[in-house]
Structure formats: structure tokens, C-alpha cells
Amino acid sequence: PVTPPTAPVSGDEPDGAEAIQPGLTWDLLSSGEGVALVLAGPDGARLMNLACLREPASLVLTIDAFSAILSEERLTFGLDDELYVFVAQPTSDRRRGVRATAPVSDAFLTRLSRANTVQAVYGAQSFGPYMPPPPDMARAFAADCAETRV
């Protein structure tokens, strides 16, 4: 695991900045299936997984804290004020969390390494805002993900 990013130290933080928890950690995992950014809590439990799969090339987002809503398909993932729509596969057979997919997007991959916050909304449930992965980790994820479409 990588050392967690630290929150800004200035006294003029925007409203809601206290919700950004610097005790969380990001990790970059790679396998034959693709690459993933994993956000874990202070206890090491996975909170979020953002994967870029090779076959078929797609982004797969899993938010473990969300409960499935069978009538809801839209999961919105925010990188700062830029919103990206993922399509959830709401099934009641998942033990925890909601899994959603989106096409691989150059705009998303570029924005990920410059983001100051990450957050998600699914129905009335919200996740974050949290600190994003460190820029070098986000760039490594983006580079590996961009290769999946070649």
C-alpha cells in the first residue's frame, strides 16, 4: 500500500473538506484481466475499486458501501465537478456493494490524474468526497488502461 495522501493544510478549505479523509489508502493492482485502483479504509477494508478490464475493454466501478437498488441503473462518479455516468448492474445476489460499468474514456483517464476529489452518487446514497489516488498512481492506471483499447 502507498502512503495516504494528506489533506490541504490551509485554513481556507471549501465547505465539505472535512469529509475528505486522509487516513484512507490507495493501491494499484495489476493482473492479466486489467488494472485497478483500490481505495481502502483505515482498517484495510476495501471501500471502492475502479478497474479497467481488457476483455472487453471497460471501466468497472464497485462501491462496497452502496446497497443495490433494483430499479436504479445510474451510478454517477465525480472527479471534482466533472461527472461520469456508469451503468449499474443492480442485482440482489451481490453480498455487498454495487458494480457499475462505463466505456473507457480518454477524458476520464486524463481527469483522474488531476482530480482533487472523488465521489459517487447512486440513488439517494453518496460516497465521498475523498482524496483521489496520488497523481503518479492515477497516471500509471491511465497508461495501462489506455493500452487495453489498442
Side-chain angles (χ1 to χ4, degrees):
V2 173
T3 306
T6 55
V9 187
S10 70
D12 39 306
E13 296 173 1
D15 288 342
E18 65 279 355
I20 300 172
Q21 300 177 10
L24 306 180
T25 57
W26 284 96
D27 201 1
L28 180 65
L29 306 176
S30 187
S31 73
E33 294 180 21
V35 63
L37 287 167
V38 179
L39 177 63
D43 61 355
R46 183 182 80 176
L47 302 175
M48 183 194 92
N49 184 69
L50 175 63
C52 182
L53 301 182
R54 288 181 171 73
E55 291 294 328
S58 61
L59 293 171
V60 179
L61 176 65
T62 305
I63 307 285
D64 292 319
F66 286 167
S67 297
I69 303 169
L70 296 179
S71 62
E72 182 64 54
E73 290 184 348
R74 181 185 176 117
L75 191 157
T76 304
F77 188 70
L79 299 172
D80 299 327
D81 58 354
E82 291 289 321
L83 304 179
Y84 299 88
V85 175
F86 284 69
V87 177
Q89 291 94 34
T91 60
S92 56
D93 61 349
R94 283 189 64 83
R95 279 194 258 157
R96 65 176 199 182
V98 171
R99 178 183 164 120
T101 60
V104 176
S105 153
D106 288 334
F108 179 88
L109 296 176
T110 300
R111 183 69 182 191
L112 182 61
S113 65
R114 296 192 328 250
N116 293 308
T117 61
V118 297
Q119 56 193 333
V121 175
Y122 176 68
Q125 303 170 78
S126 61
F127 176 82
Y130 294 117
M131 297 200 69
D136 58 338
M137 188 181 290
R139 283 190 294 273
F141 173 86
D144 196 346
C145 189
E147 288 177 14
T148 65
R149 296 183 304 164
V150 175

